[in-house]
Amino acid sequence: MSYGSLPLLRSLDPAAVAAGADIPDAVTVDGTTLSRSDLVGAATSVAERVARADRVAILARPTATTVLAVVGCLIAGVTAVPVPPDAGAAEREHILADSGAQAWLGEAPEDTGLPVIPVRLHARSWHVYSEPAAESTAFVLYTSGTTGPPKGVMLSRGAIAAGLDALAEAWAWTPDDVLVHGLPLFHVHGLILGVLGPLRVGSPLVHTGKPTPAAYAEAGGTLYFGVPTVWSRIAEDPGAARELARARLLVSGSAPLPVPVFERLRELTGHAPVERYGMSETMITLSTRADGERRPGWVGTPVAGVRTRLRDEAGAAVPHDGESIGGLQVRGPMLFDGYLNRPEATAACRTDDGWFVTGDVAAIDPAGFHRIVGRESVDLIKSGGYRIGAGEIETCLLGHPAVAEVAVVGLPDGDLGQRIVAYIVPRDGAEPTEKELIDHVADQLSVHKRPREVRLATSLPRNAMGKVQKKLLG
Ligand code: MLC
Ligand code: AMP
């Protein structure tokens, strides 16, 4: 696949920037504003330092250092592995070992054994690199499955270019926009759409650090990204919401946007939010459009280059009548190249005829509008827009000396969509506290994977095979 001779980050084409296509406010993050020329100069200097590596880890705090590290890797053609800044010891070790990262680029955890390559905000280089191949792996993004530790999703430059161009078309996203969001920089939403998007399209980015209603209201953008938790907090803050009336487009994704939140946003801001659907593995495949219908509870039509279909459990076609539900399968140029080191897992999510099996259940109406009904597995939880595997948390909790048995579920939550609840059967004589168990997960995995609630039980409901019946919990 090719996306032409221009760089993936088109607005940072060194020749164009040198010829006057500079803007003073290309990226604002963590109180630092970088012009296009600052970005090209500083990130090329990063590229010079990192160019001999194949793959490096980036502690993805929302800072200018992180943006320069990512852009430096893209200039040099080095694969970047973003690491959640709140990742605990076990999760960090897994990501480093599995990805084979050779160094940290930029900030590094104190206790690391890996070399650290510094990122200097004020260094400059004007060396011009040739554009790496579209097939090369730009990122390995770690994301949870139903069981086991997170898997590394390999995303190529070509997939990213195709995915971003399809969104720019659907949302009429141009250099005249100012994008505002405050999402984490280690996932598709905040990093690929939210940082590389503006650098490809050429629209300034304001990253607010945290996605709070007050920060969104203050930023004065035209285009806003948020997960449903962010939008529901804004909908509960009428003063902040009304400030967004001046924007052009409010976009929600990463989890279902509740219909009442959609309606309340429309009432307060005058904008019906655009909802889009995606995955780490596929980028964004479905969206409502800037110039099209926005139907509450529905995620729109396939973006440019995407095809979708529904299949029942036996693999038979499900009609697109708006009512019948089936497993959603997708194909398109923005799909990933597989899970790193996991050929069986990669093969398991593709059909023999080359479609990607999303694991989501959906309905499609005759006009091609899609409604996401839910996940096939109860073991993939979406909390605050984060995808969290129940199995990973269960394994972590079983490593606590006071825990004999555990079942982790996602229960409905007005703020987070789902909240992680751990049912625990303590070992004989043990009396673990809720805080101790929650902190154990926060310390080992990450803060955003911690259970919000622990319920102690004397036994778990099991079927005749001994498998926990999670549908009975809650
Ligand atoms: C609480 N805290 C603890 C703790 N308990 N710290 C340590 N140990 C414990 N046991 C602290 C946290 O560190 C944090 O502190 C504070 O409590 C609040 O944490 P939180 O409750 O997790 O934050 P919250 O405000 O609830 O977060 C909501 C949110 C967040 C919406 C901001 O969930 C979020 O950013 N979600 C975005 C997820 C996302 O981007 N997903 C995209 C996936 S890509 P402090 O000091 O840090 O505040 C994808 C594809 C697609 O899905 O379609 O887009
Ligand atoms: P992640 O890998 O974190 O990108 O999570 C992908 C999952 O998020 C999808 O498989 C869906 O279950 C869910 N998701 C993303 N966007 C939406 C949406 N607009 N509506 C419903 N679910 C969504």
Side-chain angles (χ1 to χ4, degrees):
M1 187 194 317
S2 156
Y3 49 90
S5 57
L6 285 170
L8 169 59
L9 303 182
R10 230 165 21 209
S11 75
L12 300 185
D13 179 18
V17 172
D22 200 4
I23 57 170
D25 52 356
V27 170
T28 302
V29 54
D30 196 27
T32 300
T33 297
L34 301 168
S35 67
R36 276 186 196 152
S37 158
D38 293 335
L39 274 165
V40 174
T44 306
S45 160
V46 172
E48 304 237 29
R49 261 171 274 135
V50 79
R52 270 180 298 163
D54 297 316
R55 208 171 283 166
V56 294
I58 298 172
L59 200 61
R61 256 184 246 292
T63 61
T65 303
T66 296
V67 173
L68 291 175
V70 166
V71 175
C73 284
L74 288 170
I75 291 173
V78 172
T79 302
V81 183
V83 177
D86 66 347
E91 180 160 322
R92 214 163 57 206
E93 285 318 309
H94 166 69
I95 293 176
L96 294 179
D98 188 68
S99 69
Q102 295 146 317
W104 286 99
L105 180 58
E107 197 192 340
E110 272 172 17
D111 52 354
T112 186
L114 283 182
V116 181
I117 304 171
V119 168
R120 299 203 176 92
L121 204 54
H122 299 290
R124 295 288 182 270
S125 163
W126 305 107
H127 181 79
V128 175
Y129 284 79
S130 55
E131 180 67 10
E135 297 74 21
S136 58
T137 303
F139 293 95
V140 179
L141 297 179
Y142 277 82
T143 191
S144 299
T146 51
T147 57
K151 299 191 288 278
V153 167
M154 297 186 283
L155 275 183
S156 72
R157 301 173 76 94
I160 292 169
L164 294 176
D165 290 351
L167 292 181
E169 194 272 329
W171 300 342
W173 183 359
T174 72
D176 292 335
D177 279 307
V178 175
L179 174 67
V180 175
H181 73 89
L183 297 169
L185 300 190
F186 47 91
H187 282 311
V188 156
H189 198 164
L191 178 64
I192 310 290
L193 275 51
V195 175
L196 306 193
L199 294 179
R200 183 160 176 82
V201 171
S203 59
L205 163 67
V206 177
H207 191 284
T208 60
K210 291 247 166 188
T212 60
Y216 275 38
E218 206 178 296
T222 66
L223 178 61
Y224 281 81
F225 290 172
V227 296
T229 300
V230 170
W231 292 119
S232 103
R233 291 177 185 182
I234 290 172
E236 281 169 17
D237 186 339
R242 286 195 191 97
E243 291 295 319
L244 303 188
R246 287 173 295 170
R248 185 178 70 80
L249 215 59
L250 311 181
V251 183
S252 179
S254 301
L257 183 67
V259 171
V261 176
F262 181 108
E263 299 294 5
R264 184 81 177 128
L265 276 178
R266 172 149 60 186
E267 203 180 299
L268 291 169
T269 66
H271 297 289
V274 159
E275 185 164 5
R276 94 299 178 284
Y277 158 88
M279 295 183 73
S280 306
E281 291 87 338
T282 65
M283 296 195 45
I284 308 310
T285 47
L286 298 166
S287 184
T288 54
R289 298 177 54 87
D291 61 358
E293 182 192 355
R294 305 183 202 161
R295 195 187 300 171
W298 294 70
V299 297
T301 51
V303 299
V306 170
R307 285 188 295 147
T308 61
R309 67 184 194 185
L310 299 177
R311 287 291 179 265
D312 67 14
E313 276 161 19
V318 171
H320 295 186
D321 57 11
E323 302 279 333
S324 307
I325 61 171
L328 177 66
Q329 301 184 355
V330 300
R331 60 194 308 161
M334 59 290 284
L335 264 58
F336 75 142
D337 291 324
Y339 299 109
L340 183 69
N341 305 325
R342 301 290 302 273
E344 330 75 39
T346 303
C349 63
R350 275 190 212 278
T351 63
D352 291 342
D353 55 350
W355 292 70
F356 175 76
V357 179
T358 64
D360 288 304
V361 178
I364 306 178
D365 82 359
F369 251 65
H370 291 60
R371 181 165 64 89
I372 306 296
V373 177
R375 296 273 330 164
E376 268 160 13
S377 169
V378 293
D379 285 331
L380 264 193
I381 300 167
K382 266 271 159 165
S383 188
Y386 285 114
R387 167 168 150 188
I388 297 149
E392 186 189 0
I393 301 177
E394 287 162 358
T395 305
C396 176
L397 283 167
L398 284 171
H400 189 283
V403 174
E405 292 176 57
V406 58
V408 167
V409 292
L411 298 186
D413 186 278
D415 179 47
L416 297 168
Q418 289 183 298
R419 79 177 175 286
I420 306 172
V421 176
Y423 287 81
I424 301 276
V425 179
R427 284 192 187 283
D428 283 345
E431 290 180 12
T433 66
E434 180 172 28
K435 180 170 184 316
E436 175 186 348
L437 295 169
I438 291 173
D439 286 350
H440 177 71
V441 177
D443 290 346
Q444 288 296 310
L445 301 181
S446 55
V447 169
H448 63 266
K449 290 182 180 168
R450 73 190 187 278
R452 303 292 170 129
E453 206 183 308
V454 170
R455 297 184 184 173
L456 297 180
T458 48
S459 66
L460 298 175
R462 291 183 187 272
N463 65 16
M465 310 290 290
K467 189 170 165 9
V468 177
Q469 293 176 290
K470 292 198 173 176
K471 295 219 161 99
L472 299 180
L473 296 171

